[in-house]
Every structure is written in structure tokens, then in C-alpha cells.
Amino acid sequence: MHVLATAGHVDHGKSTLVRALTGMEPDRLAEERRRGLTIELGYAWTSLPSGERVAFVDVPGHERFLGTMLAGVGPVPAVMFVVAADEGWMPQSEEHLVALRTLGVRHGLLVVTRADLADPGPAAKDAGGRLTEAGLRTGPAGGAVETLAVSGRTGEGLDALRAALDRLVAALPAPDPEAPVRLWIDRAFSVRGSGTVVTGTLPAGRVEVGDELELDGEPVRVRGLESLKEQAESVSGVARVALNLRGRVAGERGHALVTPGAWTATGLADVRVTMAEGARGPLPGRLTAHIGSVSVPCEVRPLGPEAARLRLARPLPLHVGDTLLLRDPGRGQGELRVLARATVLDVRPPELRRRGAARERAKALAEASADAASLLRTHLLLRERELVAMGSPPPGRPVTGDWHADPGHWTNLLARLPEVVRRHADAHPLEPAMPLEAARHELGLPDRRLVTALVRPPLTVADGRITTGRTAAGEAGLPAPVAGAVRTLLAGLSSTPFQAPEAGRLAELGLGPREIAAAVRAGALLRVADGVVLAPGADARAAAVLARLPQPFTVSQARSALGTSRRVAVPLLEHLDRRGFTERVDDVHRRSV
């Protein structure tokens, strides 16, 4: 299926032409038929000579309904532009063309209607030149837009128009059936016994019965699917679809059904601004932004000559590369209301707090493009799922897990980490190594895995810490004063291995709680209790001595055998109990295990 929209000045015969081509009435409202004026979007379809099916979104041509016209044109890939032979180019013809050009619609036909009332030649020449200059084309090779003269009243030229429509749809680019779904709702209503039904133009992707989509962040399920009034199990874009939804649904025009996780819902976007033909800047501070079927008020903050930040009145599901049309609904009759095209460059723009931040951001946006590399230059680190939701799947491999990094930023981090570790070692000489969490905080990284990925020899990671691979002036990486004190203490224990030094002696040696803790972590001392330290392995040696005693034995017998005091013997025996060298028999006796 293919979907086209109509465009053109009011009362130039758009609805009459659609009715003549399809045999269907596009004007759904009684008021439209009574007044002969299209007010709402209309829908009709037919089969072309080739067998291809084409659906039409018929839009209003009156200037008061420009917003409705944009809702119909926004999601479609091509247009049938209508100009009446007896009136020629008119104000709304110009505004519709400016809107199409701004939205980036580049495929279409020019149809000169009322050929039975006036010579279509002058109107065809004038309008055809304007459309071709605006970039509208029929075939893939470009050139002038194809022009047909018809009469909806007599049927003149309709067969030629059908053949031209076949040529147009054959030249349209094929949409990606695997693309994420974003269905802009253009109509919503309730059906008794079925619930909520929404309709829209599916530009790409695939929708199937049973799919779970999101509407304003809420999950909904597709319980039924129709395309052109025919039930279907699956429909691929481009197509007109009607979805029967199950869930907490409050759909209305301007909202979108999207693939979960595939879009970024944002109320803030940085954009590149391209002024519409004939429009002059600067842009007003408040405008209406259009994309798909939505029109939403927005605040415009200029950042530079061609850059701005849009603050939308409500979040919209956007990708980088999306095009928004900026319109000033408050302009008077005859004034151009379509002002600019806004190309989305970032859907998660950084805050602008510092003086000069807006100027720096404008410079960055001037060099930006709608791709992952540009996003990473701004955000430095992004998860793959974030890039996908922003519309720019990463082309390369992640630096770790699902994290992708800007190459320059990653190189800078690689250079910074050794210096960060060195400064930490100097500031915390008694710590065995820098904790990964401390390094993560120092480098401002969101995930500890990124720190691990940055570690290069001679740095290594062990037990959640980054070790430098260097040996300090003392044993086991201890600072020289601490290492010297430990050597002195161990020398005193060599002849009396179980006579732990008193607190005064430890203080004399300069071994306070922090120094002892560092020595214990380094394996240079064995701490059996607060203030009771022995040489490494002293517990195993004590267990061997106790094993030679008559079993079971008392604390007093153990103290004598070990040649130590009760101050040391009691906590040492409790330590041996915990280590499984000994076990209690009763309140007084222990035995070796």
C-alpha cells in the first residue's frame, strides 16, 4: 500500500478529485458536506491500474485549518498538489508548498483541476515551476514535477492521473519493515464492545496483532488490526491502519504509539533551524511545533544563528534527525505562518548553566550531525540502548558492557587514571590500593565497569581495588616508617613469639590503629584482637604447641605452654576457636581439633 496526502488552496477541488478517483466520500462530517468545505482530515483509497493500492489523506485547504492540514501531511511520504485552472496559484497554495518544503516532502504530482472551466496551461506552467523549484519531483531521477490536467466533474484526465499515480508510487523509497514503530494518531474513537480504536499513517515498521506498544509511556496491546477496512494480522508501512487497543488508553490526535525502548520521550530538544522560504528571523519566543499529526506549543531559545533549544509543552517521542515544522499561529491573514524547519540534533541536551554555555553549545551544534558520533561528542558516554532510543544505533563496539564512549574522551580517561591512582596512593599511604568506587567518583564515571575497562599495565585490579604494581620502601607495599616499625616488632617476637607487645610499645614504635590495620591488610602482622598483634602464622604455631598438651586443657595450661600472659592467651584461644584449630569442651576446657 501507498499513502498520499492532498495539498492546495481551499475550494480547488481536492475532495472532488479524491471522490472521483476512489468513489468514496472523504468528507466525513455533515457540516463539511453541507458547506462544501473540508474541515477535518478525510480518508479514501483505491486500486491503481498496476494493482497497487493507494490511500489518500484529504486535508483542508482553508487557512484557518493549516494545523489540521499539517497533521495529515506530516506522516506521509508524497503529495498530490491541487491547483484550479480557473484560479491558479493562491495564498494557501503558497503556504501549503512552504509547509511541504519545510517538512521535507519531496515526492508528488501536480494536478490542475477544473480543466473543463478554463485553459489549464497557464496554471500548470506557473504551479509546475514553483513546485519544481521547491524540490518536488515525481520520478527517482528528479527533474520537473509531473503535471496532469483533469476535471473531477466530467472525468477528463482521470485515467492519465491514475497512470501517473502508478509512476509516482513506483518511485517512492521503500520503507524499512524492521524500523521501530511510531504511529502518529490522527483519529481516536470508541467502539461498543471493542473499546478504543485509533487510526493513523504507519510510515515504516510493522504492527502485528498481539504487539505491545507504548502510548505516553503506558503499555498498550494491539487486540485487533485493520487496514483499509480489512482485518489483518500484520501490516507494514507505509499503510493506513486502525488499531483496536487494550490497556489504559486515552489516545487522541497528536499522540503516538511507539515501540517500547526505541524512542526518547523528551520535552527538550536542541535543533538546527532552517528558515522557510520567504520567512525572516529572528524567531518569536513562542511558536507551535508540528511533527507527524501533533501540534504542540513550544518555547524557542536561540543559541546561535542556526541553532535553538525547543522546550515543548509536553514530551514527544523523538529521534535525532527528526524534522519539526515551526509555525506562528498568531500571524494575521496573508502573513506567512510557516517560519522554519527544525532538525533535531539532540533529544537529551545538556544544561546551560555557565556563562557562555549557550555560545559554546551553538558552536558544537553547528558542527553536529544526526549520528551516534555527534551524540557521543556531547554526552561522552552512552549506553547502547540510549543511543538506540535517540535514533542513532552505534556503529562500533562498546568499550565495556553496553557502554559506548567518545574516542577523544576515552583517550583522555586512559591518560588520567594512572595519575588519579598515584595521587590517591600519596594521599592514603596506608591503604593497600585505590578502591574502584573511589576511582569512579574521581573520574566522574557512571559505572564501575568503565573504570575496570580503563586499567592498563602496570595497573591491575584485584579485590575491587586498583593496584599500582609498585613496591614501596617497606615490606608488602607499606610506607617506609611503617615497614621499619613492623620489622622491629617482629624482631622482638622472634624469641618470644606469643608475647604480644603492650600498647605503650606499639605507640613507641609508631604503630597506631591505622598503621596496624595497613600492616594486617598487607599480611605483615596478625591481629587476634584489638591491641593484640603477633607475627604472621603465629596462630598456626600456637595450635601446634597446644596440640602437644594433654587434652583437654585450660586457659592457664595454654598460657604456660605458650609462654605468654592471660591478656594474650584469652583472645588468642578465641581466635583459634574461630579458625577451627581448637574447640571448647565446657566453660573451662578446650581441646585441639
mmCIF file of all heavy atoms in Angstrom, residues 480-490 506 509-511:
data_model
loop_
_atom_site.group_PDB
_atom_site.id
_atom_site.type_symbol
_atom_site.label_atom_id
_atom_site.label_comp_id
_atom_site.label_asym_id
_atom_site.label_seq_id
_atom_site.Cartn_x
_atom_site.Cartn_y
_atom_site.Cartn_z
ATOM 1 N N ALA A 480 57.707 3.352 54.251
ATOM 2 C CA ALA A 480 58.971 3.003 54.903
ATOM 3 C C ALA A 480 58.903 3.079 56.432
ATOM 4 O O ALA A 480 59.382 2.160 57.121
ATOM 5 C CB ALA A 480 60.080 3.912 54.365
ATOM 6 N N PRO A 481 58.332 4.146 57.047
ATOM 7 C CA PRO A 481 58.292 4.176 58.523
ATOM 8 C C PRO A 481 57.504 3.017 59.113
ATOM 9 O O PRO A 481 57.900 2.448 60.138
ATOM 10 C CB PRO A 481 57.616 5.518 58.825
ATOM 11 C CG PRO A 481 57.836 6.352 57.607
ATOM 12 C CD PRO A 481 57.795 5.391 56.453
ATOM 13 N N VAL A 482 56.378 2.687 58.471
ATOM 14 C CA VAL A 482 55.559 1.592 58.976
ATOM 15 C C VAL A 482 56.285 0.267 58.805
ATOM 16 O O VAL A 482 56.298 -0.590 59.707
ATOM 17 C CB VAL A 482 54.185 1.561 58.276
ATOM 18 C CG1 VAL A 482 53.349 0.377 58.756
ATOM 19 C CG2 VAL A 482 53.443 2.868 58.492
ATOM 20 N N ALA A 483 56.906 0.084 57.635
ATOM 21 C CA ALA A 483 57.639 -1.161 57.388
ATOM 22 C C ALA A 483 58.775 -1.343 58.394
ATOM 23 O O ALA A 483 59.013 -2.442 58.914
ATOM 24 C CB ALA A 483 58.180 -1.166 55.966
ATOM 25 N N GLY A 484 59.481 -0.240 58.743
ATOM 26 C CA GLY A 484 60.559 -0.326 59.723
ATOM 27 C C GLY A 484 60.046 -0.685 61.098
ATOM 28 O O GLY A 484 60.663 -1.492 61.818
ATOM 29 N N ALA A 485 58.913 -0.089 61.473
ATOM 30 C CA ALA A 485 58.333 -0.402 62.783
ATOM 31 C C ALA A 485 57.908 -1.857 62.853
ATOM 32 O O ALA A 485 58.092 -2.524 63.888
ATOM 33 C CB ALA A 485 57.152 0.515 63.055
ATOM 34 N N VAL A 486 57.367 -2.366 61.785
ATOM 35 C CA VAL A 486 56.940 -3.769 61.757
ATOM 36 C C VAL A 486 58.143 -4.694 61.880
ATOM 37 O O VAL A 486 58.101 -5.701 62.599
ATOM 38 C CB VAL A 486 56.133 -4.071 60.478
ATOM 39 C CG1 VAL A 486 55.918 -5.577 60.300
ATOM 40 C CG2 VAL A 486 54.796 -3.339 60.508
ATOM 41 N N ARG A 487 59.246 -4.340 61.202
ATOM 42 C CA ARG A 487 60.457 -5.181 61.312
ATOM 43 C C ARG A 487 60.964 -5.224 62.746
ATOM 44 O O ARG A 487 61.363 -6.269 63.260
ATOM 45 C CB ARG A 487 61.536 -4.648 60.373
ATOM 46 C CG ARG A 487 61.317 -4.975 58.917
ATOM 47 C CD ARG A 487 62.612 -4.798 58.108
ATOM 48 N NE ARG A 487 63.066 -3.402 58.146
ATOM 49 C CZ ARG A 487 62.693 -2.462 57.288
ATOM 50 N NH1 ARG A 487 61.823 -2.768 56.307
ATOM 51 N NH2 ARG A 487 63.169 -1.238 57.386
ATOM 52 N N THR A 488 60.938 -4.070 63.406
ATOM 53 C CA THR A 488 61.388 -4.023 64.804
ATOM 54 C C THR A 488 60.483 -4.865 65.689
ATOM 55 O O THR A 488 60.944 -5.611 66.571
ATOM 56 C CB THR A 488 61.409 -2.568 65.299
ATOM 57 O OG1 THR A 488 62.274 -1.789 64.476
ATOM 58 C CG2 THR A 488 61.875 -2.481 66.749
ATOM 59 N N LEU A 489 59.182 -4.750 65.480
ATOM 60 C CA LEU A 489 58.237 -5.523 66.289
ATOM 61 C C LEU A 489 58.440 -7.016 66.076
ATOM 62 O O LEU A 489 58.464 -7.796 67.037
ATOM 63 C CB LEU A 489 56.808 -5.107 65.916
ATOM 64 C CG LEU A 489 55.660 -5.704 66.729
ATOM 65 C CD1 LEU A 489 54.463 -4.745 66.733
ATOM 66 C CD2 LEU A 489 55.205 -7.044 66.149
ATOM 67 N N LEU A 490 58.608 -7.422 64.825
ATOM 68 C CA LEU A 490 58.778 -8.850 64.534
ATOM 69 C C LEU A 490 60.091 -9.374 65.112
ATOM 70 O O LEU A 490 60.185 -10.541 65.538
ATOM 71 C CB LEU A 490 58.714 -9.093 63.023
ATOM 72 C CG LEU A 490 57.356 -8.826 62.365
ATOM 73 C CD1 LEU A 490 57.434 -9.033 60.846
ATOM 74 C CD2 LEU A 490 56.281 -9.738 62.947
ATOM 75 N N LEU A 506 53.686 -0.391 71.254
ATOM 76 C CA LEU A 506 53.175 -0.126 69.904
ATOM 77 C C LEU A 506 53.209 1.362 69.594
ATOM 78 O O LEU A 506 53.606 1.779 68.497
ATOM 79 C CB LEU A 506 51.742 -0.665 69.770
ATOM 80 C CG LEU A 506 51.584 -2.185 69.808
ATOM 81 C CD1 LEU A 506 50.091 -2.555 69.803
ATOM 82 C CD2 LEU A 506 52.279 -2.838 68.610
ATOM 83 N N LEU A 509 56.661 2.522 68.887
ATOM 84 C CA LEU A 509 57.098 2.160 67.533
ATOM 85 C C LEU A 509 56.373 2.963 66.446
ATOM 86 O O LEU A 509 56.747 2.881 65.263
ATOM 87 C CB LEU A 509 56.854 0.666 67.286
ATOM 88 C CG LEU A 509 57.726 -0.308 68.080
ATOM 89 C CD1 LEU A 509 57.217 -1.735 67.897
ATOM 90 C CD2 LEU A 509 59.183 -0.201 67.642
ATOM 91 N N GLY A 510 55.360 3.728 66.831
ATOM 92 C CA GLY A 510 54.599 4.493 65.845
ATOM 93 C C GLY A 510 53.533 3.669 65.148
ATOM 94 O O GLY A 510 53.099 4.016 64.029
ATOM 95 N N LEU A 511 53.107 2.587 65.785
ATOM 96 C CA LEU A 511 52.089 1.713 65.194
ATOM 97 C C LEU A 511 50.743 1.975 65.862
ATOM 98 O O LEU A 511 50.367 1.329 66.847
ATOM 99 C CB LEU A 511 52.494 0.241 65.342
ATOM 100 C CG LEU A 511 53.734 -0.187 64.562
ATOM 101 C CD1 LEU A 511 54.107 -1.629 64.881
ATOM 102 C CD2 LEU A 511 53.514 -0.013 63.062
#
